[in-house]
Amino acid sequence: AIVARAEALLGGRRDLEGRTVLVTAGPTREPLDPVRFISNRSSGKMGFALAEAARDRGARVLLVTGPVHLPDPPGVQVERVETAAQMLEAVLRYAPQADVIIKAAAVADFRPAHPAEHKIKKGAAAPVVELVPTTDILKELGRRKAPGQVLVGFAAETQDLLENARRKIREKNLDLIVLNDVTQPGAGFEVDTNVVTLVYPDGRRQSLPPMSKRQVADAILDALPWAGATSAQA
Amino acid sequence: AIVARAEALLGGRRDLEGRTVLVTAGPTREPLDPVRFISNRSSGKMGFALAEAARDRGARVLLVTGPVHLPDPPGVQVERVETAAQMLEAVLRYAPQADVIIKAAAVADFRPAHPAEHKIKKGAAAPVVELVPTTDILKELGRRKAPGQVLVGFAAETQDLLENARRKIREKNLDLIVLNDVTQPGAGFEVDTNVVTLVYPDGRRQSLPPMSKRQVADAILDALPWAGATSAQA
């Protein structure tokens, strides 16, 4: 107990010791042709910060990430994927081992229905791209959620934030959603800080002040059932 | 002359002293909505290598780049843009000052006709994205080319390579095209090496062995009219 207290005072909480945390990060890329794709502004920084924070709190961490320009965090098992379909496959493969799954990835909701085999040429006729929905990974994880497994989602919205977040919690069987107003300065994609509100299934919400993505990561881990627990080893 | 010879022997050619070289690099991003975009696999490495090589040979270098994860090269004037329209505006603004324009950027040929103001929601109906052509920057530069100005293009093709390259030279009034078979290993996007063929307006072509992007950059600069010239200052 004294050791645990000292660790806590030093910021060295080990409350996830013995737990496996699966984190997803980054965007996905959905090919239009061999060189072009649809993607989004996710940098992967929030997911990587979560992976590092969970590792520092003693968890075994599995990180599945789309294409980002960030090095593998030491001590984290990293799998790099490109498309939403590859992300789904990897996440479903790891999910049964995970006590916590945090989906920080900005997975494409749509992909081109018919990617071209060769580079599309400039032509007289303006091309029209038919999109089809990708599989909703978070919903799929919610459907398969094991007893005691904790599922955390993100909502990067530009309108009707709280309403959309509450609908997502219900529809996807989440334990926590991290609501992110990407229209705010210092929030969301491609920046090192974030401004989030944590929303719980019982309707409670907790607005956090602007802070670094690493601090947001620790605030999210603080909301887990085991937060502050003294680990078996301590 | 002895100094120039010594510089040449040491690899320190200053044959672009007094010249202005405008280089474009990277992909562009064409928004679908506030967070999603269409882009391509260009890393910007070839354009940045060209900018650095031209700088080292004494040129004043202007670099217009799309979103890439590369730092500004020291001694190069860098302007960062996002869309094809912004790239066009910047390039046309700098072009009148340039003795050489090398378009290494992979500018989007198409952009969504009607970007959404708010993030597109997953919906029952699969969205269809209407694309419209962007302005062909290289063709525009070819049309406006000043006497003595040298215009260099790239062709990243996956089929009919030489035929497409020769058509581009004619249609865009180029002085040199760098042909890039992106289907070859060690060539094209996201790698540090490249395998290219230089194609000239008179039909001559020069296939280069696999080499670093910096070496390709120097081979391209070697093909300029002033290559190997002793600078006024030497």
Side-chain angles (χ1 to χ4, degrees), chain A residues 24-29 48 64-69 79-82 87 105:
Chain A
T24 70
T28 64
R29 288 178 176 178
F48 276 60
V64 179
T65 181
V68 296
H69 289 266
E79 178 158 340
R80 293 185 185 256
V81 300
E82 183 135 332
M87 176 76 76

Side-chain angles (χ1 to χ4, degrees), chain A residues 36 41 82 109 121 157, chain B residues 36 41 82 109 157:
Chain A
R36 298 184 179 94
R41 298 180 181 282
E82 183 135 332
D109 298 319
K121 295 261 164 222
E157 304 287 348
Chain B
R36 299 183 179 94
R41 297 178 182 283
E82 182 135 333
D109 297 320
E157 304 286 349

